[in-house]
Structures are given as C-alpha cells and as structure tokens.
Amino acid sequence: LTRFTARQPSLWLRRQFLSTAAVPSSSPAPTRYISTPIFYTNGEPHLGHMSTAVLADAWARFHRDLLGEPTRLSTGTDEHGIKVQTSAENQGISPIALCDRLSSDFQATFDRLNINTRRVV
C-alpha cells in the first residue's frame, strides 16, 4: 500500500487511480468532458443543484489540475416546459423573464462557489 505524502500528491493519485497515467504517450490525451445535470429554471438554485455542480467541478479539477489531462466542464439550464410556464404564471411574469432571472442566479451562485465552468449552455 502506497502512503500519501504531501510532497507527491500527484504521483500518489496517479498510482492509486490511473495505472497507465505514469506511462508517457506520444499522442495527446483526448479531452475529457464532464457535465452537470441540466437544471430546471422553475425555482431558485438550492443545495441539491450546487452539490452536483461542486462534485462535477472537483472531478474536473482532479483531471485537469492534478493529472494534467485536457478537461472541460459544462453546465446549463433547461428553459422550457410546463413547470417553467406554471412557475412564471404564479409569479406574474413571462416564462422568458423567469428563465433569464434564474439562469443569471445559477451563474452567480456558480461564481460565488468558485465553480470553474468552461461552458454554460
């Protein structure tokens, strides 16, 4: 069993999780794509939304920063459906106004939590 030391976290992680990571390759590594669920814009961002976003961000940082692999993290909102329309009607606004407001709330929350999204759809 290999012991983790503060001096070699990257080497330890490579040995534990990716047995082939230490083997140099002549071809560039393929880009790893990580995505969160697509969040519905019928309510404010909450802990359930952010827990998946934080986990996806941690996984992307692990591959990008510790293993040096090309990695992209994407997230986004689903801005259509009956729930969105009903929620907008209950608030007395148009569905597009609700979607615009909640999408910017999601992005602001990602920024506050330092979630490093490469692409928001």
Side-chain angles (χ1 to χ4, degrees), residues 54-66:
V54 167
L55 288 172
D57 182 55
W59 189 242
R61 288 176 192 239
F62 169 79
H63 285 281
R64 184 175 47 247
D65 300 339
L66 291 177

Side-chain angles (χ1 to χ4, degrees), residues 32-37 39 46-64 71-75 110 113-117:
R32 179 177 305 273
Y33 294 93
I34 299 173
S35 177
T36 67
F39 305 117
H46 57 74
L47 182 61
H49 296 121
M50 293 308 114
S51 64
T52 58
V54 167
L55 288 172
D57 182 55
W59 189 242
R61 288 176 192 239
F62 169 79
H63 285 281
R64 184 175 47 247
T71 305
R72 288 183 171 247
L73 171 63
S74 71
T75 189
F110 292 150
L113 293 175
N114 196 27
I115 295 173
N116 189 5
T117 55

Side-chain angles (χ1 to χ4, degrees), residues 34-111:
I34 299 173
S35 177
T36 67
I38 302 301
F39 305 117
Y40 288 102
T41 54
N42 62 325
E44 301 293 329
H46 57 74
L47 182 61
H49 296 121
M50 293 308 114
S51 64
T52 58
V54 167
L55 288 172
D57 182 55
W59 189 242
R61 288 176 192 239
F62 169 79
H63 285 281
R64 184 175 47 247
D65 300 339
L66 291 177
L67 300 180
E69 298 173 352
T71 305
R72 288 183 171 247
L73 171 63
S74 71
T75 189
T77 54
D78 187 349
E79 301 178 353
H80 75 283
I82 298 298
K83 287 184 178 182
V84 174
Q85 181 179 351
T86 304
S87 184
E89 288 171 357
N90 290 342
Q91 296 179 35
I93 59 176
S94 71
I96 192 68
L98 176 67
C99 291
D100 289 346
R101 185 185 55 135
L102 290 175
S103 290
S104 66
D105 288 349
F106 273 96
Q107 187 61 52
T109 304
F110 292 150
D111 292 343

